[in-house]
Amino acid sequence: MAVKIDELLKENKVTLFVFYSQQWERDGFYFPDLRTIYVSAALSNADRERVILHELGHINHNPVNYSRCLLLYENQADRFMVRELLKEYLSKYDPNDFNWLYFAETNKIATSWGEQMIQEEFYKLVS
């Protein structure tokens, strides 16, 4: 995988389990009691990478508060994914050539919520 997924999993002491798509009707999820991320085998490598990064963004969330903080937690997990994808992008390309829309399309990030987040995280990383 392009992003250092193995390093992030090891650093955060999280196990990865790949499941067959017919087991669960979702692309992936994080189970905090076992510190395990479950991801669908049916996904492409790039999609799997994004799902794993998103789920890693949940590792510090308190499951007791999940239903109450659903939007906050999902936003934080998406922000973590965007930040990690941007780090990888910036390790390969000149920041002066950055195009947020191209980045969003390449990484299948919805422009409806992604524009502001991508730009904020980009400026944090290059400032």
Side-chain angles (χ1 to χ4, degrees):
M1 293 185 170
V3 175
K4 298 171 180 84
I5 297 290
D6 291 337
E7 290 176 28
L8 288 169
L9 291 168
K10 184 177 180 179
E11 174 184 316
N12 291 289
K13 298 179 176 83
V14 173
T15 303
L16 180 64
F17 180 81
V18 179
F19 64 86
Y20 293 103
S21 59
Q22 58 269 31
Q23 286 179 286
W24 287 292
E25 292 183 13
R26 54 193 318 173
D27 292 337
F29 59 96
Y30 174 62
F31 188 66
D33 293 346
L34 297 176
R35 290 192 70 82
T36 301
I37 291 174
Y38 296 82
V39 65
S40 173
L43 299 174
S44 69
N45 286 339
D47 288 340
R48 191 177 302 176
E49 180 176 284
R50 283 188 293 279
V51 169
I52 293 167
L53 289 172
H54 172 90
E55 297 307 329
L56 278 167
H58 285 297
I59 63 172
N60 293 318
H61 294 157
N62 184 340
V64 172
N65 298 324
Y66 192 80
S67 61
R68 184 175 61 81
C69 299
L70 175 65
L71 292 176
L72 173 66
Y73 283 179
E74 290 302 316
N75 184 277
Q76 289 172 341
D78 284 338
R79 188 169 291 274
F80 178 85
M81 173 195 66
V82 166
R83 187 178 319 114
E84 292 302 318
L85 291 170
L86 278 168
K87 286 178 186 177
E88 180 65 22
Y89 177 91
L90 291 170
S91 74
K92 296 177 181 176
Y93 302 103
D94 185 339
N96 294 317
D97 297 330
F98 183 71
N99 178 316
W100 78 266
L101 184 56
Y102 174 78
F103 178 84
E105 289 172 350
T106 302
N107 288 288
K108 298 180 184 176
I109 297 170
T111 56
S112 58
W113 62 263
E115 177 181 5
Q116 182 177 350
M117 186 181 294
I118 291 167
Q119 291 182 12
E120 288 172 356
E121 292 304 315
F122 172 77
Y123 289 116
K124 285 180 192 175
L125 290 170
V126 297
S127 298

